[in-house]
Amino acid sequence: MATWDDVRRVALALPDTSEEESRGTPRWLVHGKGFVWDRPLRKADLEALGPAAPDGPILGARVADEGVKTALLADNPDVYFTTPHFDGYPAILVRLDDINTDELEELVTEAWLLKAPKRLAKQFLADRDS
């Protein structure tokens, strides 16, 4: 089970990442581009999800494309979900209470790589692989 402290630790360990508040909730950015965020469910989300709506903390994360999103949803529907608000948008919602910290680290890092400047991402990968 992951926590907001885990999200914060993983995100802020990535180069040039900052944390800010948006609508009263935290989000993490690299060079001003958001890659993961706290995403409380809104009224329309709750209506769309009905009784399947989770009641714990929800993390939003950027993904590469709809294919990655579909794969995550199929591979682990107990952790990942979406709402109509995100239809056609490369982002996934995560039941933070149900994701393990290793998977969280991979998800946050992949989201960061999508938004980081290419040169920074390339350097990060080279440093990590050495």
Side-chain angles (χ1 to χ4, degrees):
M1 171 165 82
T3 66
W4 289 117
D5 287 339
D6 294 318
V7 175
R8 183 171 285 110
R9 175 185 50 78
V10 171
L12 293 176
L14 297 164
D16 294 331
T17 296
S18 62
E19 179 179 339
E20 70 176 31
E21 196 170 290
S22 174
R23 298 182 183 178
T25 62
R27 68 182 188 146
W28 292 268
L29 306 93
V30 57
H31 281 266
K33 296 179 181 179
F35 61 98
V36 291
W37 61 96
D38 180 353
R39 178 46 166 81
L41 295 178
R42 298 177 181 142
K43 183 179 177 182
D45 300 324
L46 294 169
E47 289 172 359
L49 294 169
D55 59 1
I58 306 297
L59 175 71
R62 295 291 291 209
V63 294
D65 55 42
E66 287 285 316
V68 171
K69 180 178 178 176
T70 300
L72 289 170
L73 292 168
D75 289 347
N76 203 342
D78 292 335
V79 171
Y80 300 103
F81 71 104
T82 190
T83 66
H85 177 80
F86 291 98
D87 287 352
Y89 187 73
I92 193 85
L93 297 175
V94 182
R95 292 171 182 90
L96 195 58
D97 287 343
D98 295 325
I99 192 169
N100 68 53
T101 55
D102 289 340
E103 191 169 354
L104 174 71
E105 186 169 349
E106 181 180 345
L107 179 74
V108 170
T109 302
E110 289 299 319
W112 180 88
L113 285 165
L114 291 169
K115 292 301 187 175
K118 290 186 187 324
R119 184 175 291 151
L120 181 61
K122 185 177 178 180
Q123 184 62 51
F124 170 79
L125 290 172
D127 291 348
R128 184 176 73 171
D129 295 338
S130 62

